[in-house]
């Protein structure tokens, strides 16, 4: 409590809580200042009761109680303990002087539970329980007519007072109505239960019709007041707040349990636009321009228009083919001679000379062929001739 | 045939797509009449002074987003390439083409051949069909009524576009030639056409007692014994055809394609009209001239720009950007223009958008309910062919509850709006509702396409759906009614629902 910043909203909600406390205990209070003036004081009591429940038969000493309530200021705690002791909610374990251990009163704990529940829903669920219990009671064969009369009269009074409060709210400020009304107004469920109770009493004791008429009138008055309060709220809340008047759980239940038809029925009678996007010619052209381009295909090499078998098959792939060709080259160079100068056999054009030199070098490197190249250190240079630089060498046949 | 005033007809056309017209029935003011050879037709709203929604681009106002815009438009280009065979005529109606040919053309355009591309293209075809840009039936694609809205001055651009779309490479071994597919499909529809002319016979009786202008040069098909509507009925005075020279209806002997093998199509009755896509566009009566006539050219253009902006923008338009919204006198005229189309201006602080006028919407809803309950034949019959299905409505309601009602009940959404920043997770829709999963995906697709839902993407798994841009267009009364309907549905036994019912019965 103390560590929260004190905002106007917090103060307002505290005041709402306190006013409920005051109203609940108005019947029991000795004077108008007798109810707590700080909601934290109730929290102290609750903390204490929780500590007592945990302690069990060990009970609690004053120090232990103080420890349990260490979150609250000392003076608030002392004040609370004095009141709780004075009213008998906390008592000595044994009624004798200088008692150090204390126990809590069961009645007070139950009372506090009841208070908390009343805070939550303004007593709607209490009314539900009460009606259910009364229904069981009047159906019980042991119940006397006098008890039934008493019960009907009590309920009639409760409904009348409830209705009166709602009517007052309905004519009051809208803020108060918004705050209080949803806690007070009855659902159809409550009205239905009350009417079934009324029916049970009337069939069992027809002579109670006078009390029952009272009860019936009270139920109707209450339903009517509920409807009027809701109507005023719905009208004033306009289009923003109305949805807040149904709790989140109701909405969730609706989405999870409602069938397709029920969901669809919400939108019956609403007119929405048909899909009608505009495709402007410029936009279409842009879209076509931005189309992902197909990957460029590999260009096929140009082919002759004439039928062409290609070089396939012209290669002799037998293992001796290379050797035979080399021997042929060497023989054609040598002719009948056993030694020939390269300068004589190389022609004037360098490309064919180059090819011949390459072949002869290969021949020289093949030990199985009977030809060798020998090179001397002489070099002829003649710029006018091709090749202009010529090493002197000989191809020889080796026996 | 249901008789409607022009405002309601415009509401029906906006909510349900092109309006079917009976034989000889004139189009409502402000609509094109797309006339078929049997003189029935469809009516489609046009915009004042030859404007198109591309005007929004000039004013830098975002139009309602098009789903997968690039892909959809490329597929439309492929359709145009296949269907607009005679480029000396208007693109609409064009010729039918097999869906496979369109798909092949699209494939050649983007150079991809995988299955994914095929599924995407099929999705785009479906969306184009749903929005009346094409008509897809019996394996054939034809250009839809909306193609008639392209302005004539853009035809050169369209021709250039068609020229650029490559010819598809098709395997030589097609089992059935395209022309045969078309011939077979049209033979099928001959029977259907006989039915629809019978319906037309019914409707001409109704049409005859309404003073309808018949300015169609086409003779009513004489097959089913229908009498041509009285040609001497008063011609529409202001309804001079805006641009079309009457294209003669295709002669009964006309071959759809020189390569078509005629012997395969059974045609015993020579007098029966060939169910080829004949048709012509007739300009509607100018509807705003008396309102706009008093303004000089600049103000007139400002009014038209504001009209287009509020009618087609995705979000409410700031009034500072449009003189037609800023100036109270012009805004008043704009309101009158909109009222003639059953629309009304909806203020959002200093922004404006248009929505259905409550009374016109109620009338239209009643009419389309009637036409549905009458179970009119012909499939497309009845206004509101684009009505939401039950599953789509259910999904929309779920999103409204999750994205608006619950956040508001928790105090997270203070404003009076049905737009919401709180997405409904798809998982919530999939797992925790009674809507069958099989119907969920299709419903979401429809709702997305109509701008009723917007998909919100956030990270890998998060994200979901929020109410779409259409929810800006609800009038205060419609917003209130939507809220009340939700309360009545979710908590029918609460006093709040009781109060709503009591107030309604008192009204």
């Amino acid at each position: 409590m103390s560590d929260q910043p004190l905002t106007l909203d917090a103060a307002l909600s505290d005041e709402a809580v306190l006013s409920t406390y005051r109203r609940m205990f108005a019947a029991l209070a000795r004077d108008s200042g007798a109810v707590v003036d700080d909601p934290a004081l109730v929290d102290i009591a609750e903390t204490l009761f929780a500590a007592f429940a945990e302690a069990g038969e060990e009970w609690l000493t004053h120090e232990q109680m103080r420890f349990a309530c260490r979150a609250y200021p000392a003076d608030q705690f002392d004040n609370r303990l004095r009141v709780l002791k004075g009213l008998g909610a906390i008592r000595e374990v044994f009624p004798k002087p200088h008692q150090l251990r204390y126990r809590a009163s069961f009645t007070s704990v139950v009372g506090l539970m009841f208070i908390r529940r009343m805070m939550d829903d303004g007593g709607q669920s209490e009314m539900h329980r009460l009606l259910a219990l009364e229904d069981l009671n009047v159906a019980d064969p042991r119940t006397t007519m006098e008890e039934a009369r008493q019960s009907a009269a009590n309920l009639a009074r409760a409904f009348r007072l409830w209705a009166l409060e709602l009517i007052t709210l309905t004519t009051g400020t809208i803020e108060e109505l918004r705050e209080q009304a949803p806690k007070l107004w009855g659902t159809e469920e409550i009205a239905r239960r009350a009417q079934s109770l009324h029916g049970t009493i009337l069939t069992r004791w027809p002579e109670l019709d006078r009390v029952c008429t009272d009860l019936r009138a009270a139920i109707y008055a209450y339903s009517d007041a509920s409807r009027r309060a809701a109507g005023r709220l719905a009208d004033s809340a306009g289009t923003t707040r109305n949805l807040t008047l149904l709790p989140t759980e109701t909405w969730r239940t609706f989405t999870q349990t409602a069938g397709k038809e029920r969901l669809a029925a919400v939108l019956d009678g609403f007119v929405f636009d048909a899909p009608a996007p505009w495709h402007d010619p410029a936009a279409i052209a842009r879209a076509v321009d931005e189309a992902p381009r197909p990957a460029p295909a590999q260009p096929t090499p140009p082919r002759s228009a004439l039928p062409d078998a290609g070089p396939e098959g012209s290669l002799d792939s037998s293992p001796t083919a290379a050797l035979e060709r080399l021997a042929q080259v060497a023989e054609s160079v040598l002719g009948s001679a056993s030694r020939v100068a390269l300068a004589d056999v190389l022609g004037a054009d360098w490309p064919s000379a180059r090819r011949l030199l390459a072949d002869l070098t290969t021949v020289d490197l093949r030990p199985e062929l009977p030809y060798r190249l020998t090179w001397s250190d002489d070099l002829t240079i003649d710029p006018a001739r091709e090749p202009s630089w010529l090493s002197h060498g000989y191809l020889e046949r080796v026996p | 045939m249901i008789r409607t005033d022009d405002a309601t007809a415009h509401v029906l056309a906006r909510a349900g797509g092109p309006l079917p017209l009976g034989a000889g029935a004139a189009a409502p003011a402000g609509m094109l009449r797309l006339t078929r050879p049997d003189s029935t037709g469809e009516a489609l709203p046009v915009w004042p002074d030859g404007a198109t929604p591309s005007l929004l681009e000039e004013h830098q106002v975002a139009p309602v987003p098009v789903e997968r815009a690039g892909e959809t438009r490329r597929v439309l280009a492929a359709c145009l390439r296949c269907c607009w065979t005679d480029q000396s005529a208007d693109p609409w109606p064009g010729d039918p083409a097999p869906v496979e040919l369109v798909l092949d053309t699209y494939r050649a355009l983007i150079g991809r051949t995988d299955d994914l591309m095929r599924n995407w293209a099929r999705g785009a075809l479906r969306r184009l069909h749903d929005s009346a840009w094409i008509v897809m039936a019996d394996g054939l694609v034809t250009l839809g009524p909306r193609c008639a809205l392209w302005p004539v001055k853009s035809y050169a651009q369209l021709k250039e576009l068609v020229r650029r779309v490559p010819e598809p490479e098709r395997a030589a071994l097609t089992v059935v030639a395209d022309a045969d597919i078309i011939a077979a499909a049209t033979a099928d529809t001959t029977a259907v056409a006989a039915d629809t002319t019978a319906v037309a016979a019914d409707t001409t009786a109704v049409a005859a007692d309404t003073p309808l202008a018949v300015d169609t040069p086409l003779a009513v098909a004489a097959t089913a014994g229908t009498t041509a509507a009285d040609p001497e009925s008063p011609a529409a005075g202001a309804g001079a055809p805006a641009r079309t020279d009457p294209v003669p209806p295709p002669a009964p002997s006309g071959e759809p394609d020189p390569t078509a093998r005629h012997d395969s199509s059974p045609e015993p009755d020579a007098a029966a009209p060939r169910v080829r896509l004949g048709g012509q566009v007739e300009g509607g009566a100018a509807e705003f001239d008396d309102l706009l006539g008093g303004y000089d050219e600049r103000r007139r253009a400002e009014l038209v720009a504001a009209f287009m902006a509020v009618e087609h923008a995705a979000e409410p338009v700031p009034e500072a950007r449009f003189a037609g919204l800023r100036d109270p006198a012009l805004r008043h005229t704009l309101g009158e223009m909109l009222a003639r189309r059953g629309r009304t201006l909806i203020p959002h602080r200093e922004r404006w958008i248009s929505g259905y006028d409550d009374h016109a919407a109620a009338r239209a809803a009643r009419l389309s309910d009637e036409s549905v309950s009458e179970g009119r034949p012909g499939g497309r019959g009845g206004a509101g062919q684009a009505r939401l299905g039950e599953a789509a409505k259910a999904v929309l309601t779920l999103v409204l509850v999750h994205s608006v009602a619950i956040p508001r009940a928790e105090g997270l959404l203070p404003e009076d709006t049905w737009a919401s920043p709180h997405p409904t997770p798809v998982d919530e829709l999939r797992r925790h509702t009674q809507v069958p999963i099989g119907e969920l995906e299709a419903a979401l697709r429809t709702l997305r396409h109509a701008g009723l839902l917007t998909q919100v993407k956030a990270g890998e798994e998060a994200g979901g759906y929020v109410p779409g841009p259409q929810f800006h267009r609800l009038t205060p009364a419609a917003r209130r009614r939507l809220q009340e309907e939700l309360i009545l549905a979710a908590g029918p036994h609460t006093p709040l629902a009781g109060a709503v019912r009591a107030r309604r019965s008192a009204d």
Side-chain angles (χ1 to χ4, degrees):
Chain A
M1 180 63 217
S2 50
D3 53 344
Q4 281 175 6
L6 192 65
T7 63
L8 201 57
D9 274 354
L12 273 178
S13 69
D14 283 356
E15 180 48 39
V17 171
L18 285 175
S19 72
T20 311
Y21 285 152
R22 279 199 288 270
R23 261 175 267 165
M24 243 185 299
F25 292 98
L28 305 177
R30 196 183 316 176
D31 64 67
S32 58
V35 179
V36 291
D37 51 9
D38 184 345
L41 297 183
V42 181
D43 295 339
I44 294 182
E46 196 154 21
T47 315
L48 271 179
F49 289 141
F52 272 112
E54 215 161 291
E57 285 184 50
E58 293 292 309
W59 319 120
L60 286 180
T61 63
H62 185 275
E63 285 69 30
Q64 283 168 322
M65 285 193 276
R66 179 70 195 106
F67 181 74
C69 296
R70 60 195 177 281
Y72 302 96
D75 56 331
Q76 270 190 12
F77 169 75
D78 290 338
N79 165 304
R80 207 75 300 250
L81 192 61
R82 200 175 59 244
V83 173
L84 290 174
K85 276 202 286 194
L87 292 177
I90 292 176
R91 284 182 293 174
E92 295 89 350
V93 177
F94 301 106
K96 55 183 184 182
H98 309 298
Q99 184 51 247
L100 291 178
R101 295 189 171 268
Y102 295 88
R103 63 192 172 93
S105 142
F106 171 72
T107 317
S108 299
V109 175
V110 173
L112 199 56
M113 279 165 60
F114 174 71
I115 291 167
R116 291 288 179 186
R117 218 163 49 211
M118 288 287 281
M119 292 297 302
D120 285 346
D121 58 11
Q124 266 198 44
S125 57
E126 292 316 309
M127 201 61 187
H128 268 292
R129 291 192 186 94
L130 200 61
L131 286 170
L133 279 176
E134 290 294 335
D135 220 2
L136 284 177
N137 277 346
V138 296
D140 189 332
R142 285 168 297 181
T143 309
T144 64
M145 187 172 88
E146 198 40 46
E147 282 168 334
R149 179 203 302 280
Q150 198 58 46
S151 147
N154 280 342
L155 280 176
R157 197 179 308 130
F159 273 122
R160 270 201 194 288
L161 288 173
W162 232 350
L164 277 175
E165 176 143 13
L166 271 173
I167 289 168
T168 323
L169 279 172
T170 312
T171 52
T173 68
I174 198 70
E175 285 73 27
E176 207 180 357
L177 179 64
R178 186 175 298 142
E179 194 69 39
Q180 305 289 339
K183 289 183 182 174
L184 288 173
W185 65 37
T187 55
E188 281 180 14
E189 173 77 9
I190 285 188
R192 202 177 48 71
R193 266 182 194 272
Q195 281 186 10
S196 96
L197 177 66
H198 158 266
T200 318
I201 296 177
L202 199 57
T203 33
R204 198 164 156 198
W205 295 283
E207 51 275 54
L208 285 182
D209 63 337
R210 210 188 143 79
V211 193
C212 284
T213 311
D214 263 4
L215 176 58
R216 202 165 54 232
I219 295 171
Y220 289 155
Y222 174 61
S223 306
D224 189 58
S226 299
R227 200 159 43 239
R228 239 180 298 164
R232 163 125 200 261
L233 207 49
D235 283 343
S236 75
T239 38
T240 56
R241 297 292 287 266
N242 249 348
L243 293 173
T244 65
L245 298 178
L246 287 188
T248 311
E249 290 67 39
T250 310
W251 289 117
R252 281 199 198 286
T253 316
F254 173 58
T255 61
Q256 291 173 7
T257 58
K260 201 169 62 169
E261 298 78 16
R262 210 175 128 209
L263 289 167
V266 171
L267 294 173
D268 278 349
F270 281 92
V271 180
F272 293 109
D273 296 349
W278 173 247
H279 299 300
D280 197 62
I284 303 175
R286 210 158 43 234
V288 168
D289 286 340
E290 288 163 4
R293 283 288 134 213
Q298 288 288 344
T300 330
R303 296 214 187 281
S304 162
L306 302 171
D308 178 9
E312 194 190 15
S314 59
L315 179 70
D316 188 350
S317 55
S318 62
T320 55
L323 285 181
E324 277 167 25
R325 189 184 70 82
L326 288 173
Q328 239 171 24
V329 170
E331 284 300 329
S332 69
V333 170
L334 282 172
S336 53
S338 62
R339 187 168 189 266
V340 64
L342 287 183
D344 300 338
V345 294
L346 289 180
D349 83 302
W350 172 239
S352 56
R354 193 176 53 188
R355 200 171 304 125
L356 180 63
L357 271 176
D359 278 342
L360 294 181
T361 312
T362 315
V363 168
D364 179 52
L365 290 174
R366 291 276 189 158
E368 63 269 36
L369 288 179
Y371 313 102
R372 289 293 163 266
L373 272 181
T374 51
W375 294 103
S376 69
D377 291 338
D378 302 337
L379 184 70
T380 316
I381 301 171
D382 180 1
R385 198 171 161 258
E386 195 174 356
S388 23
W389 295 64
L390 190 62
S391 309
H392 291 200
Y394 302 88
L395 179 69
E396 297 168 336
R397 195 190 307 274
V398 202
Chain B
M1 194 73 203
I2 303 158
R3 271 187 247 172
T4 55
D5 58 305
D6 286 355
T8 314
H10 273 280
V11 170
L12 288 172
R14 183 161 174 133
L19 278 186
L21 291 178
M31 293 205 197
L32 282 183
R33 189 183 205 281
L34 309 182
T35 305
R36 298 287 178 189
D38 64 354
S39 94
T40 62
E42 285 170 301
L44 198 60
V46 286
W47 302 284
D49 292 356
T52 66
S54 50
L55 192 69
L56 266 69
E57 221 170 291
E58 290 170 30
H59 291 270
Q60 296 178 343
V61 172
V64 178
V66 181
E67 211 188 339
R68 290 179 176 274
E71 193 172 85
T72 309
R73 286 174 180 155
R74 283 191 284 275
V75 172
L76 182 56
C79 294
L80 193 63
R81 168 81 170 76
C82 301
C83 297
W84 193 18
T85 45
D86 176 11
Q87 296 198 359
S88 60
D90 291 351
W92 190 87
D95 289 313
V99 174
E100 284 305 320
L101 178 65
V102 173
L103 288 175
D104 286 344
T105 308
Y106 178 64
R107 190 174 304 148
L109 176 63
I110 67 163
R112 279 182 60 175
T113 53
D114 46 319
D115 285 351
L116 196 57
M117 167 246 113
R118 204 182 155 81
N119 291 342
W120 286 349
R122 284 206 170 270
L125 282 173
R126 198 187 47 235
R127 286 195 299 277
L128 288 167
H129 174 85
D130 289 346
S131 52
W133 280 96
I134 62 168
V135 177
M136 196 166 43
D138 300 327
L140 289 187
V141 172
T142 45
L143 295 179
R146 273 188 219 280
C147 293
L149 294 174
W150 281 321
V152 178
K153 61 178 190 284
S154 70
Y155 285 0
Q157 193 171 22
L158 288 172
K159 281 178 193 163
E160 166 65 17
L161 175 73
V162 165
R163 203 185 51 74
R164 273 191 299 155
V165 176
E167 176 92 22
E169 278 181 35
R170 307 191 81 192
L173 285 172
T174 34
V175 179
V176 187
D178 290 346
D180 289 346
I181 298 177
I182 296 169
T186 45
D188 283 350
T189 51
T190 319
V192 180
D195 285 352
T196 49
T197 41
V199 174
D202 292 347
T203 53
T204 36
V206 182
D209 61 14
T210 53
L212 289 173
V214 181
D215 54 356
T216 161
L218 298 173
V220 175
T223 39
T226 50
T227 51
D230 183 6
E232 283 166 22
S233 60
R243 59 165 150 106
T244 52
D245 347 297
V247 179
S253 60
E255 296 253 343
D257 193 307
T259 58
R261 274 185 290 132
H262 199 217
D263 54 1
S264 65
S265 61
E267 203 162 45
D269 187 355
R274 280 196 52 92
V275 190
R276 233 202 99 192
L277 287 166
Q280 72 170 80
V281 182
E282 294 162 37
E287 55 175 340
F288 297 138
D289 274 353
D290 54 326
L291 288 175
L292 294 174
Y295 290 101
D296 60 30
E297 206 168 298
R298 188 173 61 87
R299 306 240 149 165
R300 191 179 168 120
E302 277 166 355
L303 271 172
V304 169
F307 177 85
M308 296 305 288
V310 293
E311 283 282 79
H312 295 281
E315 308 261 321
V317 185
E319 62 179 27
R321 301 264 287 279
F322 289 90
L325 289 171
R326 213 164 43 228
D327 180 342
L330 290 180
R331 197 196 302 143
H332 181 78
T333 308
L334 177 60
E336 285 181 56
M337 289 166 73
L338 289 168
R340 293 198 185 175
R341 297 201 156 184
R343 310 279 291 168
T344 183
L345 272 177
I346 299 168
H348 287 259
R349 296 223 177 83
E350 274 154 18
R351 294 156 163 266
W352 298 86
I353 199 161
S354 62
Y356 292 109
D357 174 69
D358 295 316
H359 297 291
R363 265 199 310 276
R366 236 183 356 258
L367 280 174
S368 59
D369 279 351
E370 279 172 27
S371 72
V372 165
S373 60
E374 278 170 24
R376 315 176 84 223
R380 288 173 60 97
Q385 42 142 334
R387 285 162 60 97
L388 293 178
E390 194 171 56
K393 280 196 202 166
V395 172
L396 187 54
T397 303
L398 286 171
V399 173
L400 289 176
V401 170
H402 279 291
S403 292
V404 182
I406 291 180
R408 193 163 286 164
E410 288 169 350
L412 300 173
L413 199 67
E415 288 200 34
D416 171 20
T417 170
W418 285 94
S420 161
H422 305 282
T424 305
V426 184
D427 233 33
E428 180 76 39
L429 297 174
R430 205 172 283 151
R431 297 221 183 122
H432 306 301
T433 67
Q434 304 294 314
V435 178
I437 288 194
E439 297 175 35
L440 181 68
E441 289 304 320
L444 286 173
R445 214 162 44 209
T446 312
L447 292 169
R448 261 196 332 253
H449 186 213
L452 285 164
L453 287 185
T454 302
Q455 193 164 17
V456 180
K457 285 183 180 141
E460 291 270 309
E461 293 294 308
Y465 287 91
V466 293
Q470 278 213 40
F471 283 90
H472 293 300
R473 298 184 178 271
L474 294 181
T475 58
R479 291 201 290 264
R480 180 184 189 119
R481 195 159 73 82
L482 181 51
Q483 164 173 292
E484 289 177 354
E485 292 293 341
L486 275 177
I487 287 172
L488 286 177
H493 303 303
T494 56
L496 209 52
V500 168
R501 278 191 289 265
R503 208 172 54 82
R504 285 194 177 177
S505 62
D507 285 351

